[in-house]
Amino acid sequence: MSAASGGGGGKAVVAQNFPASWVAAAALEVLPQKVQSLLQRLGPLEGPPVVSQGPNGLQALACFQNASDARAAVQTLHGFDMRSAAEKQAANNEAPKENECFSLRIADESGVAGSKTARKRKLKANGIFLWPLPQNWAEKDVELLASPYGTVLRTKVEGMANGQKGVLIDFLKPSAASAAQAALNGLSLMGATIRCVMQEEPQAAQPLMMYFSYLDELVKSPIAQEVEPKLDDKEIFVTHLPPKAGTEDGVRFLLGSFGDIEEVFLLRDAQQRPSGKAFVLFKSHSEARKALEAIRGSSADGASKAFWSESERALRGTRGAYGLNVLRHLQGQNGSKMQEIRKAAAAGSLQLEILDDTSNNGHVLFVASCGEAAQAEECWRLLSAALACVHETHAAEVRGSLVLRGFPASWSEKGLKFVFAPFGGLTSVTIEEEEENAQPICVSGEVAPSGRLAYVKLRNSQAMDKAVANLHQTKVGDGDLVEECIVACHRWHSKSWIDGSFQVSIFIDQLALSRRPLEAGPGPEDRELYVRNLPLHDMSRQQLQEYFEGFGEVDDLHLNADAFSMEQVNEGYIRFKDHRDAVRCIEALTPTDPDEADPTDLAGSWSESERVLQRKTNCYRFNVVAELVGADGSGLERIKAEARLKGLWILGESLQLKDKTAPKACGRQLHFVGRCTEEVNVRFFRDLLERELEVIHRKIASRLEKRKQKEVCEKEGQSAVNGQERMAGAWSQPPSFWGNPSPNTNNYDGYQVVWVAIAT
C-alpha cells in the first residue's frame, strides 16, 4: 500500500474556483482557452474544455488522452493559490480560503466531480456565539456587552430558525473569547437566560493524496490460503523480501532455482523504493508451487512469505480458484459497492484499475484519493472485509457443490429447486453471472453457454452421483413452469484447470487387483501395508497412528481421499520401520477363518505400491512401471487415449518426472493421475487400469510358475545326479555272489534305477 499526491484514476477532470480575472464578464469568452492552456502543460487533451454552470459556480470539463496525465494534473494543480500578488498582499499574506484555491478533481462517468464529503469542523478559538438576543438590540449593543473581555474584531447578528436572534462575536485574542464564553453563558439579560458557546468553523481543506493498494495486500482471511489453486495458476505473491531482492534481477536470483521465471513485478512505495513485495510469474504451475512451498517452509524470523496471486485468481473470474466473479462482488452492480465503501470512509474517490504490466498477467489495483491517510486505511479495511466475504461464499456455497450450466435467464432459484427436487432437494443455491469473455468449459460438452451458472448443494450428499448421471447433457424442465433446456451438471472440482478439466488420482491399491499373484510372498524389505475399513468416524489420525505403533515404529501413515470430494476415505497405507513389525501387523489383520470374517472388519494386505516402486528387486522380479509406460511411452499414451484423458501421469516417491506440467503427487505411494474432462471418464479410467494390471499380473504369475517349474526340475536333476553317484559307488563293491552280502536284495530294481538315471 502506498500514497502519492493527486486525485482519482480516470482521464476526465473538472476544474473550478478560477481566478477573478478569468471569470470577469469581458474574459468569459476566452475561459476555455485559458483552462486548456493551463492543463496542456501537464499532458495533451482530447479536445477543448467545456465550460458550464455547475452547482458551485462555473466549471470546466476536460479530458486528457491518458489517465496518468490526469492524475499528474490533479497532483500539481489542485489546491493551488490562484490569487494575484496584490490580492495576497491585501490579505496580509494569510492562507487562502477554500474558494480562492484552484479546484481540479477527477470526474466520474457522468462528467461530474466526485461528490464532496462533509467537511470536518472544529471550534473557532477566537469566536463565540451568543443567544437569545433582545429583539431591540443592534450590533453596537453587542459590542458594549463583549468589549470588557477584549478587543472585538467583528459582530454579526443572525436570525435563528425559532425566530430568536443570535450574534457571532470574533475577538482579537482566543483568551478573550474563552473569558467571554465563561462569563456570559447563563447570564440573565432582560428577563432571558443567555446561552454562549464557542463558534465552529470548517477545518482547513487538506490536499488530496492518492493512495494505492493491490488486491493481494488486502487478503486477511485464512480461507484464501486453504483454497486449492487452479492447476495452471503460475503466479505467486511474495512479501518480506530481503534487501538483496530489491531489484528484478535480485528476485530472479533468489527464486530462479525453483524454475523458469517469466515475469517479476516489484511493488514500490510512494518514493519509488522497493516495498519488499513482488509478483513472480513462473513458466509452469509446478515450478510456482515448489517456490511457494519452499518459502512457506522457512520458519526463520523475518523470513519471506508467499501466497498464490489473488490478482490472478480474481482476473480469471468464475474460471478461477473461487469459482466466483470476484471483481464484480467487490465493485457491486454498476460500482455501487465501491461507492458505499468510498462514502463510509469519507474518501474523495475510490476506483479499481487493472494494470496489464505484462503480456501474460495483470494485477488488480485500488486507487483512493483522500485528504487523510486514515480515510485510505478505512477504504482498505472495508475492501478487505468485502474480499473476506467472497472467500466465505466460496467455502460455504461453492466448495463441495454441484455446478449447473446452460440454464436460461428465465430460471430462478425456484426453477433450480424444481429440477433438483427428485434428488432430495437443495440446502443452498447460488447463481453467479459469468464474464462476457469467459472461455468455454470442456465439461459442458455441447451445452450452449447462457452467461450464468449455479452452485447448488443437495440435502442428501449421497445423491450427487445420481444427480450428475441423470442431469448432465440432459433436457430438463417441464416447458410450463420451468423452461426446457439442455444443461451440464458436474461436481465442483477443487483440483482442476481453468478449462474445467479436473484431476483424478487413483492409488494402485485402490484398484481391484483380481489377478495379483498371491503365491509371491513379501520380500525382506517389504514394510508397507494397505489397510481398509479404517474407523475414521471413531478415531483421529493420531489415534490411528498410535494403534499401529502397537506393532512397531511407524514411518508413514497416508489416508486416501475421495476422487471427487477430496475427503478422506477409510483406506490408506501404513509403513513401518521394520519388516518384522509389518509382519506382526498383517498377521493381526488376517482372520483365522476367512469365511467367518466380517466384511467391515479392519483388514490389510501387503502394499502393491511398495512392490511396484521396488522395480526388479521386488518379489515379482518384474518391473511393472516399465511395462505400463512402455519402451517409448506408448503404453501411457494408449491408456490416455482409450480413457479419453487430456493428461496422464504415474507418480510416486522414487519416480523422477521430466514433465514440468505434472501435478503435485498426492502421496509417496504409486498412483495414477488423470486429467479428465467428463466425470463418466473416471470409470473408464479405473476400468482400463484394472485391465492393464490384470494382464501384467497374469504375465507375472506365468513367469513365477515357469520359475517354480525350473527350480523343481533343477532339484530333480540334482537328485538324479546324486542317485547316479550312489550307483557308481555300489558297482565298486564286490557282487554278493562273491561272498559279500548285498545292501539291496532286489538287484533288478537297482539296475532299473541306474538305467533311469542315465536315461535322464
Side-chain angles (χ1 to χ4, degrees):
M1 303 178 188
S2 58
S5 175
K11 297 191 294 183
V13 295
V14 175
Q16 292 175 303
N17 295 351
F18 304 109
S21 60
W22 288 23
V23 293
L28 281 177
E29 186 176 350
V30 294
L31 178 59
Q33 288 87 338
K34 290 186 176 182
V35 175
Q36 183 175 9
S37 176
L38 175 65
L39 297 182
Q40 282 183 335
R41 298 178 185 178
L42 283 303
L45 302 178
E46 291 185 351
V50 177
V51 176
S52 61
Q53 184 67 38
N56 299 310
L58 286 175
Q59 64 180 27
L61 176 66
C63 189
F64 284 88
Q65 291 184 6
N66 58 73
S68 60
D69 290 339
R71 291 196 291 268
V74 172
Q75 173 186 351
T76 305
L77 299 176
H78 183 72
F80 192 82
D81 188 350
M82 300 295 284
R83 295 175 299 171
S84 64
E87 290 172 329
K88 293 178 182 178
Q89 187 175 3
N92 294 323
N93 292 317
E94 292 183 356
K97 299 176 182 178
E98 184 179 6
N99 61 358
E100 293 174 333
C101 293
F102 187 67
S103 172
L104 189 66
R105 302 174 184 272
I106 299 294
D108 61 20
E109 293 180 355
S110 61
V112 180
S115 59
K116 291 185 178 180
T117 56
R119 289 276 300 279
K120 291 185 178 181
R121 303 182 67 80
K122 66 176 183 177
L123 293 178
K124 187 175 181 179
N126 67 328
I128 61 173
F129 180 66
L130 183 147
W131 85 98
L133 204 62
Q135 292 294 329
N136 59 346
W137 272 37
E139 291 186 1
K140 62 179 181 179
D141 299 309
V142 174
E143 291 180 4
L144 288 174
L145 178 67
S147 57
Y149 305 101
T151 303
V152 176
L153 295 178
R154 179 187 72 120
T155 60
K156 182 181 179 182
V157 177
E158 291 185 343
M160 300 176 68
N162 59 5
Q164 296 177 335
K165 290 196 301 183
V167 62
L168 296 166
I169 306 173
D170 289 351
F171 291 89
L172 177 63
K173 296 181 179 181
S175 59
S178 298
Q181 189 273 331
L184 297 177
N185 187 40
L187 178 71
S188 180
L189 182 65
M190 299 182 67
T193 301
I194 299 296
R195 296 291 307 279
C196 185
V197 297
M198 301 299 294
Q199 292 181 36
E200 289 186 353
E201 63 179 352
Q203 287 188 358
Q206 297 290 331
L208 287 179
M209 299 283 289
M210 283 178 61
Y211 294 84
F212 307 94
S213 177
Y214 285 88
L215 178 65
D216 295 71
E217 297 178 284
L218 302 177
V219 178
K220 307 296 182 184
S221 170
I223 297 176
Q225 296 186 44
E226 299 170 2
V227 174
E228 287 283 347
K230 287 294 179 180
L231 296 177
D232 34 17
D233 285 355
K234 300 185 293 183
E235 187 175 69
I236 62 174
F237 180 62
V238 188
T239 65
H240 299 82
L241 285 167
K244 64 181 180 181
T247 64
E248 180 178 329
D249 289 341
V251 175
R252 289 181 181 274
F253 178 79
L254 183 68
L255 302 178
S257 60
F258 300 108
D260 297 331
I261 296 176
E262 291 191 345
E263 297 287 347
V264 173
F265 180 67
L266 287 169
L267 275 62
R268 300 182 180 275
D269 61 17
Q271 287 73 42
Q272 294 302 302
R273 296 172 302 192
S275 65
K277 304 173 184 177
F279 292 98
V280 184
L281 179 66
F282 285 86
K283 190 173 183 179
S284 71
H285 172 80
S286 60
E287 293 170 324
R289 186 186 65 245
K290 289 177 184 176
L292 183 139
E293 291 177 349
I295 295 172
R296 287 182 175 178
S298 175
S299 58
D301 293 338
S304 299
K305 302 182 184 302
F307 314 88
W308 288 107
S309 168
E310 195 75 5
S311 286
E312 185 178 45
R313 290 178 169 183
L315 292 174
R316 288 181 168 178
T318 55
R319 303 298 187 265
Y322 300 123
L324 300 168
N325 191 329
V326 178
L327 299 185
R328 186 173 294 163
H329 280 269
L330 294 178
Q331 292 177 294
Q333 189 72 23
N334 298 321
S336 59
K337 183 69 175 179
M338 293 274 285
Q339 286 302 312
E340 290 177 10
I341 293 174
R342 180 193 65 77
K343 291 178 181 178
S349 66
L350 177 63
Q351 299 186 16
L352 182 152
E353 296 183 1
I354 298 175
L355 301 185
D356 188 13
D357 54 274
T358 75
S359 58
N360 299 293
N361 256 23
H363 299 107
V364 180
L365 175 70
F366 292 97
V367 182
S369 61
C370 307
E372 299 177 1
Q375 295 171 333
E377 289 301 322
E378 181 64 7
C379 285
W380 309 151
R381 186 188 70 80
L382 294 173
L383 282 170
S384 179
L387 182 59
C389 288
V390 175
H391 297 156
E392 291 167 3
T393 299
H394 167 82
E397 307 293 339
V398 179
R399 188 187 298 167
S401 69
L402 287 178
V403 187
L404 198 73
R405 304 176 188 273
F407 57 92
S410 62
W411 280 29
S412 62
E413 183 175 327
K414 290 183 178 180
L416 289 164
K417 289 182 176 179
F418 174 84
V419 170
F420 283 94
F423 310 103
L426 302 175
T427 60
S428 68
V429 176
T430 299
I431 298 177
E432 190 75 5
E433 300 291 330
E434 294 191 281
E435 303 77 13
E436 294 181 0
N437 58 347
Q439 70 179 83
I441 292 292
C442 61
V443 295
S444 297
E446 301 300 323
V447 175
S450 63
R452 299 197 304 167
L453 57 86
Y455 299 105
V456 301
K457 289 195 172 182
L458 301 180
R459 293 187 185 277
N460 178 17
S461 60
Q462 302 300 318
M464 293 182 75
D465 288 340
K466 182 180 178 183
V468 172
N470 284 271
L471 294 178
H472 187 56
Q473 303 286 355
T474 304
K475 181 182 286 188
V476 297
D478 60 0
D480 184 15
L481 296 176
V482 179
E483 182 180 346
E484 288 187 337
C485 63
I486 298 177
V487 297
C489 181
H490 59 89
R491 293 173 178 80
W492 167 258
H493 299 288
S494 297
K495 293 188 176 182
S496 61
W497 288 261
I498 60 171
D499 65 354
S501 57
F502 56 94
Q503 175 181 316
V504 171
S505 300
I506 302 174
F507 284 82
I508 189 169
D509 288 273
Q510 290 180 300
L511 300 171
L513 306 176
S514 58
R515 294 292 177 178
R516 187 184 192 188
L518 300 179
E519 60 272 24
E525 300 300 322
D526 289 357
R527 301 178 290 119
E528 187 173 77
L529 307 177
Y530 188 69
V531 288
R532 301 172 180 81
N533 301 327
L534 292 168
L536 297 182
H537 294 295
D538 303 319
M539 300 177 70
S540 66
R541 180 188 179 91
Q542 180 63 32
Q543 289 172 325
L544 281 174
Q545 178 141 343
E546 290 173 357
Y547 167 77
F548 287 112
E549 284 175 348
F551 300 102
E553 187 176 355
V554 173
D555 183 47
D556 180 50
L557 172 62
H558 173 83
L559 299 178
N560 289 345
D562 181 79
F564 294 122
S565 68
M566 306 309 296
E567 295 180 357
Q568 291 180 344
V569 295
N570 60 349
E571 297 179 358
Y573 293 91
I574 183 74
R575 182 181 297 180
F576 292 92
K577 285 282 188 180
D578 190 86
H579 171 74
R580 290 170 297 180
D581 299 331
V583 171
R584 282 195 293 269
C585 183
I586 197 69
E587 289 175 349
L589 298 180
T590 303
T592 306
D593 186 354
D595 295 332
E596 295 183 0
D598 190 323
T600 63
D601 286 345
L602 184 62
S605 58
W606 289 102
S607 166
E608 185 73 4
S609 165
E610 184 177 43
R611 294 181 176 183
V612 172
L613 291 176
Q614 289 169 351
R615 309 292 179 87
K616 281 192 173 183
T617 64
N618 58 26
C619 59
Y620 301 146
R621 300 295 184 266
F622 190 90
N623 193 333
V624 177
V625 173
E627 187 74 11
L628 282 167
V629 174
D632 55 356
S634 58
L636 276 188
E637 286 298 322
R638 178 178 52 79
I639 297 174
K640 183 177 80 171
E642 292 185 22
R644 304 170 190 170
L645 304 175
K646 294 189 72 173
L648 175 60
W649 300 268
I650 300 180
L651 305 180
E653 62 180 341
S654 63
L655 300 180
Q656 300 295 324
L657 291 180
K658 296 181 179 180
D659 184 2
K660 292 184 178 181
T661 66
K664 181 182 178 182
C666 299
R668 299 166 65 177
Q669 292 75 18
L670 184 135
H671 55 287
F672 305 90
V673 177
R675 182 176 179 179
C676 300
T677 58
E678 297 283 353
E679 292 181 14
V680 68
N681 292 349
V682 177
R683 183 69 260 176
F684 297 156
F685 182 29
R686 180 183 289 270
D687 291 344
L688 191 58
L689 289 174
E690 289 177 350
R691 289 200 301 270
E692 291 293 322
L693 285 169
E694 183 177 335
V695 172
I696 292 174
H697 282 156
R698 285 179 182 273
K699 185 180 291 187
I700 293 173
S702 176
R703 291 194 178 188
L704 289 175
E705 181 62 27
K706 290 180 180 179
R707 193 178 303 150
K708 182 179 179 181
Q709 291 177 359
K710 183 178 179 181
E711 291 174 355
V712 170
C713 291
E714 288 177 351
K715 287 182 179 179
E716 290 178 349
Q718 185 63 41
S719 298
V721 171
N722 293 339
Q724 184 178 4
E725 290 176 351
R726 287 196 298 272
M727 289 302 109
W731 280 109
S732 65
Q733 298 295 328
S736 59
F737 52 81
W738 286 108
N740 295 321
S742 173
N744 190 347
T745 58
N746 191 342
N747 290 328
Y748 178 80
D749 290 342
Y751 284 107
Q752 183 73 15
V753 171
V754 173
W755 181 83
V756 172
I758 294 174
T760 303

